[in-house]
Amino acid sequence: MSSNPQPSQPVDHLFRHARLATLVADDTRPSNGPSNGPSYRPGYGLIDDGALAVRDGRIVWLGSDATLPRFTARQETDCQGQLLTPGLIDCHTHLVWGGDRFQEFEMRLEGVAYEEIARRGGGIVSTVRATRQASEQALYEAALERLRCLSAEGVTTVEIKSGYGLDVASECRLLRVARRLGEQQPVRVRTTFLGAHAVPPEFAGRADDYMDLVVGDMLEAVVDEGLADAVDAFCEGIAFSPSQVERLFLAAKPHGLQLKLHAEQLSNLGGSALAARHGALSADHLEYLDEAGVEAMAAAGSVAVLLPGAFHFLRETQRPPVELLRRHGVPIALATDLNPGSSPLYSLLTALNLGCLLFNLTPTEALLGVTRHAAQALGLDDEIGSLEVGKRADLALWGVTEPAALMGQLGFNPCRGRYLDGRLCWVGEADAPGERP
Ligand code: DI6
Ligand code: FE
């Protein structure tokens, strides 16, 4: 054994004395042991008094602080025993829109159903009218304010859908705003083309004709400008049928676009099974999903993205089949579904709380749902979503020690730091202490 000291390795940022929630493995669960003893910490992959080193934006080492190799760090953060998690991932939002829908909130409370409002020409289509009138800059500024709410709670990656333009120029405008947020703000953005969100007024009663436009000129414009990473559709009685959705999937796949689907939100049309057959990354909502759909998702490895905000705002009573999803090993993600109609929810921490209390998710499942499984729902699980050597150093530092404190309280934001590629930064704050990555 050599007595020479190890040479010191240069790193950019060293986090020390953190309670790391790696979300990688269940390294504290006693094998065959009790599942409810006082020391039981299920599945967070906790490392108490841990350290994590970052070089070139990636995690290069993590483990117990006591076993820290010799590093020379340009920057060091003493986490004082507090929780350090992967940066949170909101894998389903409709962040860019114009106008608001609070009159519809009132209508629903006066007894008019969400679907009825849509049939009367309100709902999604009313946001489309307001969005078409808004300038790109106005849309950007409104979206930035919303994004800031998410990032203040430790969100480092956001998926943003179009779907409130519904003509070629307006859909492209929404996706351009989403792309620009990712370029100009310290946040990772994935964009999804949702031209098949609703039938716009000028195509009323002609959904197939509108679908011709979506799979034709609209998709072509989106692809030509490189505006989308994925496509999505609303598969529902008030929107598009499974065969219309299939046309979109078949048109999108040759362009290398990933597939996602709003499915089984208000009724069961078999959308999730269709999406799974086409290898979709995820099916989202899923309140009316049946076991056949769950089996199809399990076979395809699709993620079930649950959206308790929409469930809450629509006062839905049918819960997604969480027990079936567990039994068949379908990964569950949670997201805000942030949109002006069914889910004006600007808080992923609240979505965690609602996921636990309304859908019976365990706190571990909930945290996995906004980290590892959310990364999987975006096809980014090789890059983000857990603390592992080689992954990007997207991190959230919290002023708490217990992971359950992230979802076990409401209206208190414990986020103390948000790091993208290992650098401290906040969306919308030009003079934040960290530089822009
Ligand atoms: N389902 C939803 O919950 C959102 N879109 C969708 O397909 C709602 C969109 C809205 O009401 O504006
Ligand atoms: Fe949605």
Side-chain angles (χ1 to χ4, degrees):
M1 211 172 84
S2 159
S3 59
N4 289 342
Q6 291 271 307
S8 181
Q9 302 281 322
V11 294
D12 298 318
H13 199 154
L14 188 57
F15 295 85
R16 298 198 59 185
H17 307 297
R19 187 161 208 223
L20 300 175
T22 63
L23 279 305
V24 172
D26 183 357
D27 33 19
T28 53
R29 183 183 212 143
S31 55
N32 301 317
S35 64
N36 55 1
S39 63
Y40 176 62
R41 290 291 185 277
Y44 297 118
L46 289 176
I47 301 176
D48 279 313
D49 197 21
L52 182 149
V54 181
R55 191 189 305 127
D56 297 330
R58 293 189 186 264
I59 300 170
V60 292
W61 187 90
L62 82 167
S64 160
D65 196 279
T67 63
L68 189 67
R70 279 160 49 86
F71 286 125
T72 308
R74 286 205 299 156
Q75 193 183 353
E76 191 167 309
T77 301
D78 180 353
C79 301
Q80 302 182 328
Q82 294 184 323
L83 189 67
L84 189 67
T85 68
L88 304 190
I89 300 167
D90 194 347
C91 69
H92 180 141
T93 84
H94 309 246
L95 193 82
V96 192
W97 75 80
D100 71 63
R101 300 254 290 282
F102 297 114
Q103 284 180 353
E104 289 180 16
F105 180 78
E106 286 189 333
M107 283 170 78
R108 291 203 304 276
L109 284 162
E110 283 157 12
V112 189
Y114 178 74
E115 286 160 287
E116 177 57 26
I117 293 171
R119 287 201 182 91
R120 290 183 196 174
I124 293 170
V125 163
S126 88
T127 298
V128 170
R129 283 188 216 100
T131 302
R132 285 177 176 177
Q133 285 169 18
S135 71
E136 190 164 322
Q137 184 59 23
L139 290 170
Y140 180 85
E141 281 164 20
L144 177 58
E145 194 177 357
R146 295 170 196 138
L147 187 61
R148 196 186 269 163
C149 297
L150 298 177
S151 82
E153 291 186 345
V155 170
T156 49
T157 297
V158 180
E159 184 258 14
I160 302 177
K161 301 176 196 295
S162 65
Y164 291 119
L166 308 190
D167 60 39
V168 176
S170 306
E171 282 295 297
C172 288
R173 201 147 41 99
L174 296 180
L175 290 169
R176 247 179 257 126
V177 167
R179 281 279 196 242
R180 193 176 140 204
L181 287 167
E183 286 157 13
Q184 299 190 347
Q185 297 296 326
V187 63
R188 242 174 263 293
V189 170
R190 297 296 276 185
T191 59
T192 300
F193 168 51
L194 178 56
H197 196 193
V199 179
E202 64 276 17
F203 282 90
R206 297 188 295 128
D208 282 319
D209 293 346
Y210 177 62
M211 217 49 196
D212 291 344
L213 176 66
V214 171
V215 302
D217 289 356
M218 213 183 271
L219 183 63
E220 188 184 315
V222 167
V223 168
D224 281 354
E225 245 190 275
L227 289 173
D229 304 307
V231 299
D232 191 349
F234 188 16
C235 186
E236 192 55 67
I238 53 169
F240 299 95
S241 67
S243 59
Q244 288 164 337
V245 170
E246 189 159 37
R247 280 186 69 193
L248 172 71
F249 284 173
L250 291 172
K253 270 204 262 190
H255 298 291
L257 294 167
Q258 304 274 22
L259 311 179
K260 305 175 81 66
L261 190 64
H262 284 69
E264 275 71 77
Q265 180 184 6
L266 308 169
S267 62
N268 184 351
L269 299 184
S272 307
L274 169 76
R277 277 203 303 281
H278 285 275
L281 285 176
S282 72
D284 303 38
H285 285 289
L286 306 178
E287 280 83 341
Y288 290 82
L289 183 65
D290 59 16
E291 188 156 13
V294 174
E295 282 168 357
M297 291 181 70
S302 296
V303 176
V305 178
L306 305 186
L307 304 167
F311 177 96
H312 169 67
F313 275 102
L314 299 184
R315 297 199 288 177
E316 179 60 69
T317 53
Q318 168 107 4
R319 290 177 164 67
V322 166
E323 197 43 55
L324 282 176
L325 293 169
R326 281 187 189 122
R327 202 180 311 145
H328 290 275
V330 176
I332 298 172
L334 276 174
T336 59
D337 194 19
L338 175 53
N339 75 68
S342 67
S343 191
L345 173 60
Y346 296 72
S347 164
L348 193 56
L349 294 183
T350 303
L352 288 175
N353 175 274
L354 297 177
C356 292
L357 296 183
L358 301 179
F359 295 167
N360 281 322
L361 296 182
T362 66
T364 316
E365 288 172 326
L367 192 56
L368 278 166
V370 296
T371 53
R372 242 174 73 189
H373 294 162
Q376 204 177 328
L378 298 179
L380 293 176
D381 41 323
D382 287 343
E383 286 283 278
I384 55 172
S386 57
L387 304 184
E388 284 177 89
V389 169
K391 289 212 174 168
R392 293 197 173 272
D394 289 3
L395 308 167
L397 178 63
W398 308 92
V400 296
T401 54
E402 289 298 318
L406 303 183
M407 62 290 280
Q409 51 195 338
L410 277 178
F412 172 67
N413 178 8
C415 188
R416 296 287 179 269
R418 173 193 174 283
Y419 300 84
L420 198 73
D421 288 329
R423 272 175 285 193
L424 181 68
C425 46
W426 301 92
V427 165
E429 292 184 19
D431 52 357
E435 323 129 56
R436 262 209 59 227

